[in-house]
Amino acid sequence: MRYIVALLFIIFFQSVPAGELKIIFRYDDYSRNSNTDVERLLFDTIKNIGGGVLVGVIPFPHAPYPEPDSIPKVADLGEDKVNLLKEYASQGVVEIAVHGYSHKSNATEGSNSEFTGLSKNTQNLLLGNARAALEVTLGFSITSFIPPFNQYDLQTLQSLESTSYKLISAALGGPQESTGNLTYLPGGAYPQKINEVISSALASGHTEAIVVIVMHPYDIIESGDQMSNFREDPQISIHKLINDLSKIKKRNNVHFMTIHELFEGGEEFSVLNSSHKCITQ
Ligand SMILES: [Zn+2]
């Protein structure tokens, strides 16, 4: 069993050699509707700084759920979106995660969630088929999951295990199983705060930590999307983000890493003592 344990926005684990603050990216809500030009620029920037990004892909945005006898075999992405993912995945920059089936919320109360409260059969059907359709469409294996709205329940974890997922990335506070093979990768700092988070981590000597920067299309002005109504941050220009990242790249004790690099070697992630100072946004 592998764990990554997070203290708010910084993840600490003991198996990475000390001395560098590690930074990885997560980008949610990639779909046939998201802005391809912005995404190409973003992926290219991450490639140029030597980093990697876990891309949460919505295979069937806004689609009704399938009947078991009429399951779509191919994701509804479109040729441009498929080619962009293939191009950067083949270079080791992009790692794909399933980001829900349709990304619609099924919650009748509380936080929005696609999966929380759904039956075992429904979660197995949606998780298994979302993944299978993306694998057929893209032509490679996918083992990561990002729950829409960062919300899931214990059944989601069991369904992920039974449909052979290996990693879940969500906000802190969700359930975790004490047994099983899932890796938990919490996110993360938003791109508007990247300079503050990195500076604060370095000033505090947290060079044994990993920062997961979580981005959505609506974070970026040029996406054409409105900022989410539950976020108070202003949107950021893609050019400011590129500029910020190139400056961070030049700092000492900072290392952008790929998702593959994060997991290669199959490290045993372990709990660090909880007296570490938490770094918040
Ligand atoms: Zn989402």
Side-chain angles (χ1 to χ4, degrees):
M1 178 175 52
R2 302 194 303 175
Y3 278 112
I4 300 176
V5 175
L7 297 175
L8 293 181
F9 301 109
I10 302 292
I11 302 170
F12 301 92
F13 59 88
Q14 294 168 321
S15 53
V16 170
E20 290 180 315
L21 183 69
K22 279 77 178 174
I23 305 171
I24 56 174
F25 297 91
R26 196 183 103 187
Y27 178 77
D28 291 6
D29 298 347
Y30 185 102
S31 78
R32 64 173 156 78
N33 301 318
S34 52
N35 188 307
T36 312
D37 292 339
V38 169
E39 285 159 345
R40 174 172 288 283
L41 209 45
L42 183 65
F43 297 166
D44 207 50
T45 299
I46 292 171
K47 173 187 168 183
N48 289 338
I49 58 175
V53 53
L54 184 66
V55 178
V57 181
I58 307 170
F60 302 107
H62 310 302
Y65 289 158
E67 298 296 328
D69 58 355
S70 61
I71 292 167
K73 297 280 188 288
V74 179
D76 181 17
L77 270 178
E79 190 178 351
D80 287 352
K81 290 294 186 177
V82 169
N83 288 340
L84 184 63
L85 289 178
K86 282 183 173 176
E87 180 181 341
Y88 284 90
S90 70
Q91 300 175 68
V93 177
V94 159
E95 179 88 18
I96 310 295
V98 171
H99 189 42
Y101 185 91
S102 71
H103 203 294
K104 74 170 184 174
S105 177
N106 294 304
T108 53
E109 58 183 22
S111 302
N112 284 334
S113 180
E114 181 171 8
F115 286 86
T116 304
L118 296 185
S119 69
K120 174 182 176 181
N121 283 349
T122 303
Q123 295 211 38
N124 285 351
L125 176 79
L126 297 179
L127 289 169
N129 287 290
R131 177 183 169 190
L134 280 175
E135 287 184 334
V136 166
T137 305
L138 295 169
F140 43 77
S141 170
I142 298 166
T143 57
S144 298
F145 175 67
I146 300 170
F149 315 105
N150 280 305
Q151 299 294 318
Y152 63 97
D153 61 14
L154 269 176
Q155 179 57 58
T156 314
L157 299 178
Q158 290 159 10
S159 294
L160 288 170
E161 292 254 18
S162 65
T163 49
S164 301
Y165 284 83
K166 303 282 187 242
L167 179 144
I168 177 170
S169 180
L172 292 173
Q176 292 194 7
E177 286 191 304
S178 56
T179 59
N181 294 310
L182 280 176
T183 292
Y184 297 81
L185 178 69
Y190 295 128
Q192 292 87 345
K193 300 287 178 64
I194 185 169
N195 283 319
E196 290 170 50
V197 171
I198 301 301
S199 293
S200 178
L202 290 174
S204 306
H206 287 321
T207 50
E208 77 282 24
I210 292 182
V211 179
V212 183
I213 306 294
V214 175
M215 301 174 288
H216 293 79
Y218 56 68
D219 280 307
I220 299 168
I221 294 170
E222 291 83 356
S223 71
D225 293 348
Q226 297 280 319
M227 174 53 89
S228 172
N229 56 15
F230 62 84
R231 289 269 307 279
E232 294 179 351
D233 313 277
Q235 290 181 307
I236 185 172
S237 146
I238 185 71
H239 303 292
K240 174 169 177 10
L241 180 58
I242 290 169
N243 198 35
D244 285 351
L245 293 176
S246 65
K247 283 183 182 166
I248 290 168
K249 171 75 175 171
K250 293 178 181 142
R251 298 185 71 152
N252 292 328
N253 304 322
V254 168
H255 175 61
F256 291 100
M257 70 193 309
T258 64
I259 305 297
H260 177 73
E261 195 180 349
L262 176 65
F263 292 110
E264 74 182 1
E267 296 95 338
E268 285 294 323
F269 300 106
S270 47
V271 179
L272 286 191
N273 75 70
S274 57
S275 64
H276 269 288
K277 185 170 184 285
C278 298
I279 297 169
T280 58
Q281 297 193 59

